[in-house]
Amino acid sequence: MPTEVALLESRALRVEQMGRVDILDKVKSLVMLPDGIHVRTEGVARYFEVSTASVRRLTDRHQEEFAENGMRLLRGADLRSFHSDMMSLWKGEGVESYPQAATQLRLFTRRTVLNVAMLLRDSDIARCVRTYLLDAEDSLRARYDSLDLRVTRIESCLADVGSALQELGPVLGRMSERLDSLDRKVEAMQQVVGAMSVRLSDLAQDIVRMDARFDARMDAFAHQMKDLRRRTGRR
């Protein structure tokens, strides 16, 4: 876990924390200009409870870093255009006067204010912001470690499943062979049953023919008996 000193000294560590602008409002309310995007040097000084001179000295020492994180220095036409936009927004909120810079104006974004918090040494508010950042980093790292442990457990379970599947493979192979053998036996039995059905059909036809021949013989025998009785009666 990085320390407060490391955060003060390492630009790379500060870059890693630049997305945590939500920390600012957890420590203290940051009053923005009417556009909701920018803060003047005076607003930054009030937030950190330091002098404007302290903020200016800090931004002069780390001008490149602050510029990369959104700080702008307005002069001339850009400054007049910005003042015009702010005055219209200011009047829309029912405020008559808007503080205008004479020749130049430094503008900070939330990202730049967070950058100030990570560099400003002589401010209790800045130290509190850094503490929040480091605590959040520690909490995030703990959640990551917990997630990593859970993933490791899942991987271990999957490894056990893999071993079980490897052991089950030969069993499934033998079961498949037995099922194939049973299919062949059932098919052979079906052929035998089919042949028996044909034989029974032929036997039924033979019985029908035998019944017909028996009936014919009985009819012939009955006629012979009638003839015999007639002959006997005449005598």
Side-chain angles (χ1 to χ4, degrees), residues 15-73:
V15 170
E16 292 179 2
Q17 302 294 334
M18 278 303 166
R20 301 304 311 278
V21 294
D22 58 301
I23 297 294
L24 295 171
D25 291 322
K26 291 181 180 180
V27 176
K28 183 180 178 182
S29 178
L30 177 63
V31 180
M32 312 294 291
L33 287 174
D35 63 355
I37 299 173
H38 297 101
V39 186
R40 294 160 55 102
T41 303
E42 292 79 3
V44 176
R46 281 194 297 272
Y47 179 84
F48 290 109
E49 299 176 2
V50 296
S51 66
T52 55
S54 296
V55 176
R56 290 194 183 97
R57 285 194 298 271
L58 184 69
T59 54
D60 286 341
R61 285 199 303 270
H62 302 276
Q63 187 170 359
E64 180 184 352
E65 182 175 345
F66 285 122
E68 288 181 0
N69 288 304
M71 189 185 74
R72 299 166 58 196
L73 183 62

Side-chain angles (χ1 to χ4, degrees), residues 38 48 62 81 98 160 199 214:
H38 297 101
F48 290 109
H62 302 276
S81 176
Y98 163 72
D160 293 339
R199 293 281 300 276
F214 179 76

Side-chain angles (χ1 to χ4, degrees), residues 107-153:
L107 293 176
F108 298 76
T109 63
R110 285 181 176 272
R111 190 179 176 93
T112 325
V113 175
L114 183 62
N115 201 165
V116 172
M118 289 187 281
L119 285 167
L120 190 60
R121 296 175 182 270
D122 300 326
S123 167
D124 291 337
I125 301 299
R127 280 192 288 271
C128 189
V129 171
R130 290 194 291 271
T131 299
Y132 264 94
L133 282 174
L134 295 173
D135 288 345
E137 176 75 12
D138 189 36
S139 175
L140 181 62
R141 192 177 302 276
R143 288 198 298 270
Y144 173 80
D145 292 339
S146 175
L147 179 60
D148 184 61
L149 179 60
R150 289 160 62 187
V151 170
T152 301
R153 289 175 178 171

